[in-house]
Amino acid sequence: MGPVHHDLAGEPIFEPMIQIDMEIKAFVSAWKHCDYVSTYVARMISQNRSDSVHHSNLFSSAFNELLEVAFRTRHADGELACRVSRHGATDRIELTFPCVPEERQFYEEAVSQFAGMEARERYLNSVSGDLAPSREVVLLELAVDYNATLWIDDADGDAIKLVVDLPLEGLQH
Amino acid sequence: MSPYDLLPRFKAQYDANNQEFSISGVVRPQAIDELGPSIALLRDAIGHVRGVLYVNVRRLTQMNNAAFHSFSRIIIDACRARPDLKFVVITSSVVGWTSRKFGRLSAIEPNITVEEYDTEFYPGQGFLEEGGFVPILRTQTKLTWRHERAILPRHGMRSGIVMADICCGIGDFAVLAQKEFQPSRIVALDHSISSLNYARRVMREFDIRGIEYTYGDASEMLLDEAQFDLVTCRHSLQIFNRPELILKELYRICKPGGRVYITNEKNSHCLGEPRAESIRWTYNEVAKLFGHFEMDVELGPKSRRYLIEAGFEDIRVETFMVTNLDGDPQDFADVIAAWADVYAGEMATRRGDGPEFVARFRQGFEDHIFAALHPKGYTGWPIWVASGRRPQ
């Protein structure tokens, strides 16, 4: 693991690792793009982790869920941007994709409720009760199973930026 | 259609004899309909079993939430409909997310338990993975490297290749190979966390680059197929109770045209003069002791057969003898002393051997050390090297 840096305000500086941009139309043209992109990016960014194969497997698992969320956007135009950066043991995924205002509101509300034991209970209730996971539960699972921190950042136009910090290095064996 | 589309992404099967439903591969459906046959198979299995249904997800590399929910719901519903039925989900510590994700199910239904499988898979390996065996491995590699550095190029080793060292232990062979041959990349895999931690520490302290140490089960690796020019697996098939499973995996990750290189022993052929009889008796007993724990330390000469049966071609086999004349005789003696500690110590005790047997058993090792350090003595430890090419 390389040295970690902080800016003058003491905020950690995340060093960029990789970015993939594509038209959302192209992305949603095939479901397997989620698998392609998550597997490719996971391999690329995991090479210098202490256990590259395991890091890649965990990262791909988490990132694929985010991409599947983006895949289901109801907004048909615009760009999908996946940016991965790193600060020490944490990898940050910034996923920007077009969405309609209702979806944006949904994500903001969903992400604001992810905290502590309650999140775990809500996740377990969904697994035991729902026929299929909602997009909220998919995001919730990242917090519960991967210790992820999620929030929404500003994005231009009809887009939303989901930011997810994944401390996967700490989940290694 | 791309080659990607042609690959089977996942497989589900049910073994009625063992009441085991297993699902493996990458399961990332867009819609649950894609899982129809697998879900029907699970439902059918639930309908037929009594007592316990094992759900084996050891080789489940990926599963998205949509699929996880779908399978989980069937299991949870079955628990509620049939309180007599128990589910045991078998995960692998190698696939990091499975134990975390499936582990949640037992919090929902007490009739679901989740077990990590790996450690029990290799009945005797505990002796060799953690603790006592590390010093043996270090000195052994030092002794065998003198020979293997000359042998390896005849089995596919050259600079610039991509290689994997499976069952890498403390990583010393990978480091020596890196220094001597400069492959472009080495992936070194082992099932011992303490060994890997040691290997990573050495890599950091000595600023060694180009080796990726990874935790894994050699019989079911997360590594992609057909990616290595050379796959090495040294002194390891002999300590697995099912070496053919490991060879299948070595074959899978080797590129077509690449080679798999294995080394193994035939312990009963260890020799020494003077005191040859005592030494011979003890090493015959070593083979039996390992046999008791389902390990075959007589595997060396069987390497050719194993490689042929695994589908390799252009099999090359050779032997070399590590002796007390290879450098400092004390090194040889140190290896024997370490063997004695583990074999006549924990292993003999675990088998339930009596003090009389242990005393005679230990004497053979002491005689071997005596011979190694004797000014006119000669001691040998034979190793079988074999490699095979994966057909194009």
Side-chain angles (χ1 to χ4, degrees), chain B residues 116-323:
Chain B
E116 280 192 348
Y117 185 73
D118 313 296
T119 46
E120 289 180 14
F121 187 61
Y122 309 115
Q125 218 182 343
F127 299 117
L128 314 180
E129 279 199 341
E130 312 291 337
F133 235 77
V134 168
I136 301 185
L137 298 174
R138 287 188 61 177
T139 316
Q140 280 187 179
T141 305
K142 184 179 169 187
L143 290 172
T144 55
W145 181 250
R146 295 169 188 279
H147 300 268
E148 288 188 85
R149 66 189 300 185
I151 289 170
L152 278 160
R154 297 198 283 273
H155 295 265
M157 177 67 92
R158 59 189 187 281
S159 81
I161 61 168
V162 178
M163 72 168 277
D165 185 31
I166 306 305
C167 309
C168 68
I170 55 173
D172 44 0
F173 175 76
V175 170
L176 290 166
Q178 171 72 10
K179 284 182 182 167
E180 181 81 15
F181 297 103
Q182 288 100 41
S184 62
R185 182 185 176 212
I186 301 179
V187 173
L189 177 144
D190 201 86
H191 196 257
S192 162
I193 292 166
S194 58
S195 296
L196 289 171
N197 286 341
Y198 178 90
R200 291 187 185 117
R201 199 175 75 231
V202 168
M203 190 166 72
R204 269 197 312 276
E205 286 176 1
F206 294 96
D207 196 26
I208 296 161
R209 289 164 199 272
I211 305 174
E212 295 165 43
Y213 290 106
T214 186
Y215 174 73
D217 178 346
S219 70
E220 40 192 69
M221 296 184 273
L222 285 179
L223 301 171
D224 286 341
E225 59 183 61
Q227 60 165 320
F228 298 103
D229 301 294
L230 178 66
V231 179
T232 58
C233 184
R234 302 168 54 262
H235 298 277
S236 298
L237 292 183
Q238 61 187 28
I239 58 164
F240 287 97
N241 59 342
R242 298 171 71 187
E244 67 279 2
L245 292 185
I246 315 288
L247 269 174
K248 195 175 167 189
E249 277 291 88
L250 303 182
Y251 183 98
R252 185 183 66 79
I253 64 171
C254 182
K255 283 181 188 170
R259 297 192 76 85
V260 166
Y261 169 95
I262 58 175
T263 67
N264 291 286
E265 300 164 53
K266 183 173 174 71
N267 249 270
S268 64
H269 280 207
C270 284
L271 52 88
E273 284 287 353
R275 303 185 182 177
E277 278 308 312
S278 162
I279 295 166
R280 185 180 306 136
W281 182 86
T282 284
Y283 283 97
N284 273 321
E285 291 300 322
V286 168
K288 292 178 197 166
L289 178 64
F290 273 77
H292 176 81
F293 294 106
E294 296 185 52
M295 295 183 270
D296 182 9
V297 288
E298 300 286 275
L299 193 145
K302 303 171 193 168
S303 303
R304 180 166 179 249
R305 170 168 66 81
Y306 273 114
L307 286 169
I308 291 170
E309 288 174 358
F312 291 97
E313 60 185 20
D314 185 28
I315 314 288
R316 297 170 193 170
V317 183
E318 55 188 298
T319 57
F320 66 88
M321 179 86 85
V322 175
T323 78

Side-chain angles (χ1 to χ4, degrees), chain A residues 31-32 34-36 38-39 43 47 50-54 56-58 60-61 64-65 68 71-72 120 123-124 126-133 137-138 141 144-147 171 173, chain B residues 2 4-5 9 26 28-30 61-66 68-70 72-73 76 80 93-97 100-101 104-105 107-108 185 187 193 200 212-216 222-224:
Chain A
W31 176 252
K32 65 191 172 194
C34 302
D35 185 38
Y36 276 149
S38 63
T39 304
R43 282 184 191 154
Q47 296 288 333
S50 61
D51 190 326
S52 57
V53 177
H54 285 269
S56 175
N57 179 255
L58 286 168
S60 170
S61 190
N64 180 69
E65 296 296 342
E68 289 187 10
F71 190 93
R72 298 184 194 281
R120 185 171 171 274
Y123 173 68
L124 292 181
S126 169
V127 173
S128 68
D130 297 336
L131 284 173
V137 167
V138 168
E141 197 255 342
V144 172
D145 281 341
Y146 300 89
N147 296 347
L171 296 182
H173 303 285
Chain B
S2 73
Y4 178 94
D5 297 312
R9 300 291 286 162
V26 176
R28 286 175 166 174
Q30 180 174 6
T61 316
Q62 296 288 355
M63 176 178 262
N64 67 3
N65 271 308
F68 175 73
H69 264 241
S70 187
S72 298
R73 271 304 302 269
I76 291 165
R80 290 169 183 170
S93 62
V94 169
V95 188
W97 61 269
R100 302 175 76 82
K101 202 157 179 162
R104 308 282 173 208
L105 297 181
I108 297 170
R185 182 185 176 212
V187 173
I193 292 166
R200 291 187 185 117
E212 295 165 43
Y213 290 106
T214 186
Y215 174 73
L222 285 179
L223 301 171
D224 286 341

Side-chain angles (χ1 to χ4, degrees), chain B residues 81-109:
Chain B
R82 286 186 54 190
D84 59 305
L85 190 57
K86 294 192 186 311
F87 287 86
V88 177
V89 181
I90 304 163
T91 63
S92 163
S93 62
V94 169
V95 188
W97 61 269
T98 51
S99 298
R100 302 175 76 82
K101 202 157 179 162
F102 283 93
R104 308 282 173 208
L105 297 181
S106 52
I108 297 170
E109 282 296 333

Side-chain angles (χ1 to χ4, degrees), chain A residues 94-162:
Chain A
E94 292 164 86
L95 190 66
T96 310
F97 56 96
C99 69
V100 298
E102 294 78 19
E103 286 179 301
R104 184 185 178 85
Q105 191 182 348
F106 164 81
Y107 286 123
E108 283 171 347
E109 284 174 12
V111 167
S112 69
Q113 292 171 27
F114 293 170
M117 287 299 290
E118 208 178 294
R120 185 171 171 274
E121 289 304 314
R122 289 219 314 282
Y123 173 68
L124 292 181
N125 284 340
S126 169
V127 173
S128 68
D130 297 336
L131 284 173
S134 65
R135 281 182 282 184
E136 181 207 358
V137 167
V138 168
L139 298 178
L140 197 57
E141 197 255 342
L142 296 179
V144 172
D145 281 341
Y146 300 89
N147 296 347
T149 311
L150 298 91
W151 70 95
I152 309 285
D153 250 1
D154 292 335
D156 297 333
D158 296 337
I160 189 167
K161 186 197 276 188
L162 269 176

